[in-house]
Amino acid sequence: MSIAPLDSTVYGSLFTTPAMRAVFSDEGRLQRMLDVEAALARVEAKLGLIPVEAAKEITAQADVAHFDLVSIGQGTALVGYPIVPLARALARACKGDAGRYVHWGATTQDIIDTGLVLQLRDGLDLIGQDLEGIEAALAGLARRHRDTPMAGRTHAQHALPITFGYKCALWLAPLQRHRVRLARLREQVAVVQFGGAVGTLASLGADGIGVMEGLAAELRLAVPPIAWHVGRDGLAEVASFLGLVTGSLGKIATDVTLLMQTEVGEVAEPHQEGRGGSSTMPQKRNPIACEFILACAKNVRQQVAVMLDAMVQDHERATGPWHAEWIALPQAFALTAGALHHTRLILEGLEVDEAAMRRNLDMTRGMISAEAVMMALAPHVGREQAHHLVAAACDRAIGSGRHLGEELRADPEVSAHLSGDRLDQLLDPGNYTGLAAQFVDRVLAQGPDSSD
């Protein structure tokens, strides 16, 4: 029986991916803890703290498939931490005396936190793969539509012409920055946790630093200068990064949703039979992937708030904030994976209607190019007067339903300085996209293959 949509057979595929679910599943979580226990035993054996044969046996038995998860769950409900019943089960599974050396010198949070770090590393790798795919798709769209004119919109109204490639480049630039953030974050989060009861490694005495450094090397993690049992800024930064990523994806989803409106119709999500359909209206093609991106993004933001709140921890071990992370981080990763999946699906198959873009450019009968006329007229009559003349012509065009060019030609103060041919040139929106194409090129130059 499932309550949460992320774990639901019905809803699960809408909000996350099987790969990310596997990373944060019970099996994935416990296996990473077992990986830490096994690595700890191997390091301590190398340092002569426990028998080599014990370490070999612990490693051989540290497989989640060997354990009854129901029993582990029952023990967790009793103790409050999964590592206690898990370590006991691992010790019982070991032959001979090996079991007595399980969890040697460690504390519960050492194993859980380091196991979490291994999960985060795997989760960030999956996020990186999808970010690369989305970046490639957006770069392709920006390159293909570098010079495709469309209406730029501010305050939900037509503003000035841009190109669709420029819009795609606006979507792409934050994702390029996320790629850089992710590379840095991978290094910052990949840090071992090993401090014993209060972080001082008192149980291992002079051998403590050696065990910590060996454990880090065994797991390919960095060594912190001090235990981070209550220093949770790194985990909060991970969550914040997920919030930034899904915020950028939400921006894309919002734009695509608006561009898919019947009255606009400039782009569409990739279509397949029945996708985004209505139970009553046969004609509907709803922006269903966009809707789930937005839903995922909204929920990730709430988990970011939880992780920031969980930074406020008491003394050397927390009484509650740590446990809140167990809920927030897996959900944030799962939902981010879902948003990335839907975004990649949209962008790799996005349907672009260039004819609709041109039709919408023309719907205001030349007025989207009013600034171009004003700027051409300004050297002759001054900017303020030019603005006044063109604004008055726009008002007349709105009232009469005529093309702006007709109203401008009929104004002697305008026609005295701008010929009919010059007005036609100025009122063609394709001639007033500014440096849109050059900005596309600048963004594309920031891509991962830009040095080739």
Side-chain angles (χ1 to χ4, degrees):
M1 181 177 66
S2 173
I3 296 175
L6 289 173
D7 300 320
S8 168
T9 303
V10 176
Y11 288 104
S13 61
L14 296 174
F15 291 102
T16 191
T17 62
M20 192 63 80
R21 188 184 291 114
V23 170
F24 289 96
S25 66
D26 285 340
E27 292 84 357
R29 183 178 296 108
L30 295 179
Q31 183 59 61
R32 285 316 194 183
M33 294 180 195
L34 290 167
D35 292 342
V36 178
E37 292 282 12
L40 176 62
R42 292 193 296 272
V43 169
E44 291 176 331
K46 289 177 186 177
L47 294 174
L49 301 178
I50 70 171
V52 172
E53 291 305 315
K56 291 180 179 179
E57 179 62 15
I58 291 169
T59 298
Q61 298 302 327
D63 185 336
V64 71
H66 297 168
F67 303 103
D68 178 9
L69 268 61
V70 173
S71 176
I72 300 296
Q74 292 170 343
T76 301
L78 178 64
V79 179
Y81 306 98
I83 198 61
V84 175
L86 184 65
R88 287 173 180 167
L90 176 59
R92 288 195 300 269
C94 291
K95 299 180 179 66
D97 293 334
R100 69 174 64 181
Y101 299 104
V102 169
H103 202 68
W104 194 264
T107 194
T108 291
Q109 191 167 351
D110 291 337
I111 305 303
I112 292 179
D113 276 354
T114 304
L116 174 63
V117 166
L118 299 179
Q119 289 178 279
L120 299 187
R121 186 167 65 185
D122 290 345
L124 290 174
D125 285 345
L126 292 174
I127 286 170
Q129 292 168 18
D130 272 336
L131 279 175
E132 289 174 8
I134 291 169
E135 189 174 341
L138 276 175
L141 285 167
R143 192 174 293 111
R144 195 174 315 125
H145 295 283
R146 175 182 183 271
D147 302 306
T148 303
M150 69 177 296
R153 296 167 171 95
T154 61
H155 301 278
Q157 306 289 313
H158 279 207
L160 294 176
I162 59 172
T163 70
F164 184 59
Y166 177 80
K167 181 177 282 287
C168 292
L170 288 174
W171 295 340
L172 173 58
L175 298 182
Q176 293 174 334
R177 295 191 288 272
H178 295 328
R179 170 166 42 85
V180 175
R181 290 184 179 104
L182 178 57
R184 183 179 68 247
L185 188 61
R186 278 190 176 115
E187 295 181 4
Q188 291 178 339
V189 74
V191 178
V192 74
Q193 175 78 284
F194 193 70
V198 293
T200 62
L201 286 173
S203 62
L204 293 173
D207 295 309
I209 297 295
V211 174
M212 178 173 63
E213 291 176 343
L215 181 60
E218 188 77 15
L219 296 172
R220 296 180 294 110
L221 299 174
V223 180
I226 195 170
W228 47 276
H229 290 147
V230 287
R232 315 305 281 182
D233 54 295
L235 299 184
E237 185 175 4
V238 172
S240 298
F241 168 74
L242 301 181
L244 290 171
V245 168
T246 53
S248 296
L249 302 183
K251 156 63 176 168
I252 296 172
T254 297
D255 281 357
V256 171
T257 299
L258 294 173
L259 294 174
M260 280 184 68
Q261 290 181 107
T262 307
E263 297 84 353
V264 179
E266 294 178 354
V267 305
E269 291 185 3
H271 181 60
Q272 68 181 78
E273 186 71 25
R275 181 170 181 82
S278 165
S279 62
T280 60
M281 296 170 282
Q283 84 279 10
K284 292 300 292 291
R285 285 177 60 180
N286 295 316
I288 197 70
C290 291
E291 293 172 4
F292 282 105
I293 294 167
L294 292 168
C296 289
K298 289 176 186 296
N299 279 277
V300 170
R301 287 195 288 275
Q302 307 314 307
Q303 308 315 315
V304 174
V306 171
M307 291 301 297
L308 291 172
D309 189 74
M311 290 180 65
V312 184
Q313 305 212 359
D314 49 291
H315 296 304
E316 285 64 56
R317 296 286 287 279
T319 54
W322 181 45
H323 307 78
E325 296 174 356
W326 302 358
I327 303 170
L329 269 177
Q331 290 193 64
F333 268 88
L335 291 163
T336 300
L340 286 163
H341 167 73
H342 287 298
T343 304
R344 190 169 180 176
L345 181 150
I346 291 171
L347 296 175
E348 289 181 345
L350 189 69
E351 299 176 10
V352 181
D353 191 335
E354 296 183 28
M357 290 178 178
R358 182 68 208 201
R359 184 169 62 249
N360 290 334
L361 278 170
D362 295 336
M363 71 183 298
T364 57
R365 302 182 303 282
M367 280 183 278
I368 197 168
S369 300
E371 185 190 76
V373 177
M374 182 194 75
M375 293 304 295
L377 189 60
H380 303 287
V381 300
R383 185 196 173 283
E384 185 175 354
Q385 179 63 6
H387 186 283
H388 170 73
L389 290 171
V390 176
C394 288
D395 289 341
R396 293 194 301 273
I398 292 170
S400 67
R402 297 202 302 172
H403 194 279
L404 177 60
E406 297 180 65
E407 298 295 344
L408 291 168
R409 286 184 180 88
D411 188 322
E413 195 169 355
V414 174
S415 59
H417 303 288
L418 300 175
S419 67
D421 288 346
R422 178 61 174 149
L423 284 172
D424 288 342
Q425 181 186 42
L426 291 169
L427 291 170
D428 182 347
N431 294 332
Y432 201 67
T433 59
L435 300 178
Q438 288 90 327
F439 281 119
V440 171
D441 295 340
R442 286 164 63 89
V443 171
L444 291 175
Q446 303 300 310
D449 302 322
S450 58
S451 60
D452 293 347

